[in-house]
């Protein structure tokens, strides 16, 4: 029986090549856009999830009263990290981060690079994959760790391990260290951009700062708390450090400390002052592609439904004869659904082929994002494709199958049945199709005009 369904389907597609081609290409393009939206969404969803301790990492921030509102700040008092680790056994690791944009000298070449100074726990909290060397090298203040990109920029094809690197402070004093390890470049969907990693003591020495002085601030503080039940206790306990901070900084008092899970850090970064971390995708950058994909999929599905109904006029006699010789409506319904799903499957293949071009093209539009279509990067991608096929086939083909299989055989054979306009629902689908299409075109024109305006508006100063 199933073999018969397939043969009838292939015969019908061959007889209606134009309709089939229109539907396959239209659905294929919309499915390709859905795949682009999926990878864009996963880029945002996977922010910082490459860290093996993702669920155990928390950032400490504080709130300060700003007129009639509270404002979150990313910086924290420099002694806070060691104090928390000492006072709370549930906090197994604590790491502060300091930053400087400093002249870096290798041989006779000078570069201006960002240098990150961290506590030794940093490499235990966050996941860094080393290309060469050992992460224990960070325990020695005489060593530095650099990224693969930085190794290429500073040393070219030469082996960087054991090479000398000189960093200058603001007083133009030289501090020479040894490259002891090279780590893989961090993913783009990471809160960190780290080129050179050094011990916290080096920052304190180079800039003559005391990390026990509550008037000094660390740029970032992260904690590792393996026990989720202890998080609330640690958060409540942070209030005891507020008086010490406010006593040392009477002109810069704070109201409370926050404990932010790593999952939320990138989402709050845009609203956090003195943030020092890279923010995740703006909510609009995730929502807009999803809405566009849904819009295109609805347009293509409604077009599929309407063309399927329109092309069914050539099959009225087939339907009548099959019912007269004992064919049940259920069998006809299965026949038409199989035909629709085969068309959707072919469209999915076209969509995947198109997405191999659209996915990297979309990523290239943003300097902070590189996207490639991969079947192994996200295990959920296979499930997404299956669900996309099932949902698209149902939305696009369910109504045509129900409508076409409902014809009465006697009226068909007496030539008393004429395929009209597909019933009231078909009119609704056609109306939605045109409405969504017009709205999409108008929205595209508005966004294009706004982009041109933003590029040409007089800001009162030279752009370059």
């Amino acid at each position: 029986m199933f073999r018969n369904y397939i043969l009838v389907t292939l015969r019908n597609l061959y007889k209606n090549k134009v309709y089939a081609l229109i539907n396959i290409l239209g659905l294929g393009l919309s499915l390709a856009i859905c795949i682009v939206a999926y990878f864009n969404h996963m880029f945002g969803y996977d922010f910082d999830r490459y860290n093996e301790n993702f669920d155990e990492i928390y950032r400490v921030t504080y709130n300060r009263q700003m007129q009639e509102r509270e404002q979150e700040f990313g910086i924290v008092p420099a002694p806070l990290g060691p104090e928390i680790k000492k006072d709370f056994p549930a906090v197994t690791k604590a790491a502060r981060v300091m930053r400087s944009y400093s002249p870096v000298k290798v041989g006779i070449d000078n570069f201006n690079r960002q240098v990150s100074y961290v506590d030794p726990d940093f490499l235990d909290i966050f996941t860094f994959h080393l290309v060469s060397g050992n992460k224990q090298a960070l325990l020695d203040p005489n060593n530095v760790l650099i990224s693969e990109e930085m190794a290429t920029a500073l040393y070219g094809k030469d082996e960087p391990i054991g090479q000398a690197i000189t960093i200058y402070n603001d007083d133009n004093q030289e501090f020479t260290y040894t490259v002891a390890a090279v780590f893989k470049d961090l993913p783009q969907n990471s809160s960190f951009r780290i080129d050179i990693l050094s011990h916290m003591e080096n920052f304190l020495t180079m800039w003559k700062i005391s990390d026990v002085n509550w008037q000094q601030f660390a740029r970032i503080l992260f904690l590792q708390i393996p026990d989720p039940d202890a998080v609330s206790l640690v958060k409540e306990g942070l209030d005891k450090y507020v008086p010490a901070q406010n006593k040392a900084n009477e002109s810069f008092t704070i109201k409370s400390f926050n404990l932010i899970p790593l999952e939320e850090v990138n989402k709050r970064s845009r609203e956090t002052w003195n943030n020092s971390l890279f923010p995740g995708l703006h909510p609009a950058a995730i929502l807009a592609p999803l809405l566009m994909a849904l819009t295109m999929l609805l347009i293509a599905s409604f077009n599929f439904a309407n063309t399927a109904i329109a092309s069914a006029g050539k099959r009225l006699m087939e339907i009548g004869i099959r019912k007269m010789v004992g064919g049940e409506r259920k069998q006809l319904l299965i026949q038409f659904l199989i035909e629709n799903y085969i068309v959707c499957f072919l469209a999915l293949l076209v969509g995947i082929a198109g997405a191999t071009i659209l996915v990297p093209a979309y990523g290239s539009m943003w300097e902070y994002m590189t996207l490639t279509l991969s079947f192994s990067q996200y295990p959920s991608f296979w499930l997404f494709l299956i669900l996309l096929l099932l949902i698209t086939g149902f939305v696009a083909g369910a109504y045509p199958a129900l409508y076409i299989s409902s014809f009465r055989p006697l009226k068909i054979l007496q030539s008393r049945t004429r395929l009209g306009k597909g019933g009231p629902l078909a009119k609704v689908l056609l109306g939605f199709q045109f409405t969504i299409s017009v709205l999409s075109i108008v929205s595209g024109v508005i966004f294009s005009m706004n982009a041109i305006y933003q590029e040409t508006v007089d800001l009162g100063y030279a752009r370059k």
Side-chain angles (χ1 to χ4, degrees):
M1 179 62 73
F2 184 75
R3 179 174 178 271
N4 182 64
Y5 286 147
I6 298 299
L7 290 176
V8 173
T9 297
L10 295 178
R11 183 190 66 182
N12 181 61
L13 292 179
Y14 180 76
K15 291 176 62 178
N16 299 277
K17 294 185 286 293
V18 176
Y19 283 119
L21 185 62
I22 291 174
N23 287 323
I24 290 173
L25 293 179
L27 282 172
L29 176 60
S30 66
L31 294 175
I33 296 174
C34 289
I35 294 173
V36 172
Y38 169 84
F39 278 95
N40 179 74
H41 170 76
M42 292 305 297
F43 181 89
Y45 174 80
D46 263 6
F47 220 90
D48 290 324
R49 290 180 185 270
Y50 68 92
N51 291 291
E52 297 173 1
N53 302 318
F54 178 80
D55 294 326
E56 302 176 0
I57 302 174
Y58 299 83
R59 183 185 185 184
V60 179
T61 63
Y62 66 77
N63 290 339
R64 186 166 185 253
Q65 191 69 31
M66 304 289 290
Q67 296 180 352
E68 298 180 357
R69 65 181 177 84
E70 289 188 13
Q71 175 61 49
E72 184 177 21
F73 285 75
I75 57 176
V76 296
L80 187 61
E83 290 294 321
I84 292 176
K85 187 177 179 181
K86 180 180 66 176
D87 295 342
F88 295 93
V91 179
T92 58
K93 305 288 183 182
R96 301 162 296 176
V97 181
M98 297 287 195
R99 292 264 176 80
S100 71
Y101 285 91
S102 304
V104 175
K105 182 180 179 182
V106 174
I108 61 173
D109 298 320
N110 288 280
F111 307 86
N112 191 45
R113 291 289 185 268
Q114 182 192 83
V115 184
S116 299
Y117 307 84
V118 299
D119 291 311
D121 282 350
F122 185 81
L123 290 183
D124 293 324
I125 297 175
F126 294 95
T127 300
F128 281 73
H129 297 287
L130 297 186
V131 178
S132 57
N134 192 306
K135 70 178 184 179
Q136 300 300 323
L138 185 64
L139 298 175
D140 185 351
N142 294 314
N143 295 329
V144 296
L145 289 71
I146 61 175
S147 67
E148 280 186 296
E149 182 181 358
M150 185 56 52
T152 301
L154 297 180
Y155 303 102
K157 296 182 180 180
D158 295 338
E159 172 59 47
I161 301 297
Q163 297 276 12
I165 182 172
T166 301
I167 302 174
Y168 293 82
N169 66 5
D170 292 343
D171 296 327
N172 207 33
Q173 293 177 303
E174 295 184 6
F175 296 85
T176 301
Y177 307 100
T178 301
V179 176
V182 177
F183 55 86
K184 288 186 177 180
D185 299 327
L186 296 179
Q188 288 180 311
N189 52 350
S190 170
S191 293
F192 292 102
R193 298 291 188 272
I194 296 179
D195 296 324
I196 303 173
L197 202 57
S198 184
H199 197 289
M200 177 64 69
E201 287 187 12
N202 293 330
F203 183 86
L204 304 178
T205 300
M206 294 170 68
W207 274 268
K208 301 178 176 61
I209 292 175
S210 171
D211 64 348
V212 297
N213 184 352
W214 284 82
Q215 293 182 330
Q216 302 293 337
F217 289 91
R219 302 296 300 177
I220 311 164
L221 172 61
F222 278 101
L223 309 177
Q224 183 176 346
I225 309 176
D227 183 7
D229 295 331
V231 174
S232 59
L233 296 177
V234 175
K235 185 179 185 304
E236 293 173 2
L238 294 179
D239 290 339
K240 71 177 184 178
Y241 302 111
V242 173
Q245 146 66 25
N246 290 342
K247 182 179 180 180
N249 300 275
E250 295 181 355
S251 62
F252 196 83
T253 59
I254 68 174
K255 189 172 182 179
S256 61
F257 286 102
N258 305 310
L259 199 58
I260 313 301
L262 186 58
E263 181 180 7
E264 298 294 325
V265 168
N266 75 89
K267 301 174 184 177
R268 299 173 62 154
S269 291
R270 295 180 186 277
E271 287 74 39
T272 302
W273 290 10
N274 297 117
N275 175 50
S276 299
L277 294 177
F278 277 76
L281 293 182
H282 192 281
I286 297 178
L287 183 60
L290 291 176
L291 290 177
M292 180 57 68
L294 178 61
T295 299
M296 296 298 294
L297 186 60
L298 287 176
I299 293 175
S301 297
F302 294 163
N303 181 73
F304 179 92
N306 287 314
T307 55
I309 292 173
S311 63
K314 303 177 182 179
R315 306 181 64 182
L316 290 179
M317 190 60 65
E318 173 195 340
I319 296 169
I321 293 175
R322 292 181 66 167
K323 283 195 172 184
M324 287 297 293
V325 298
E328 299 178 358
R329 184 183 182 186
K330 179 178 68 174
Q331 293 174 321
L332 286 172
L333 187 62
I334 293 174
Q335 173 69 57
F336 290 120
L337 283 176
I338 289 177
E339 291 181 11
N340 294 335
Y341 271 108
I342 288 179
V343 171
C344 291
F345 177 74
L346 295 175
L348 182 60
L349 296 181
V350 173
I352 293 174
T356 58
I357 300 173
L358 293 181
V359 169
Y362 179 82
S364 66
M365 294 171 60
W366 322 103
E367 62 180 11
Y368 53 80
M369 180 191 300
T370 299
L371 298 180
T372 55
L373 192 152
S374 171
F375 289 91
S376 59
Q377 183 178 5
Y378 303 115
S380 61
F381 183 50
W382 288 100
L383 178 61
F384 170 77
L385 291 178
I386 294 173
L387 291 176
L388 190 61
L389 174 62
L390 294 176
I391 294 173
T392 302
F394 180 80
V395 172
Y399 177 68
L402 288 170
Y403 178 73
I404 297 170
S405 64
S406 67
F407 297 147
R408 295 180 180 181
L410 185 59
K411 290 185 177 182
I412 293 175
L413 296 177
Q414 291 177 343
S415 299
R416 293 167 56 189
T417 295
R418 293 289 184 270
L419 189 63
K421 298 181 180 179
L425 184 55
K427 297 178 182 178
V428 173
L429 295 180
L430 188 62
F432 268 116
Q433 179 183 344
F434 278 107
T435 301
I436 296 174
S437 300
V438 172
L439 287 176
S440 299
I441 294 173
V442 172
S443 299
V445 172
I446 292 175
F447 280 115
S448 297
M449 293 175 64
N450 180 67
I452 295 173
Y453 171 78
Q454 296 292 340
E455 291 181 356
T456 58
V457 64
D458 183 7
L459 300 176
Y461 57 86
R463 291 174 180 265
K464 295 183 180 181

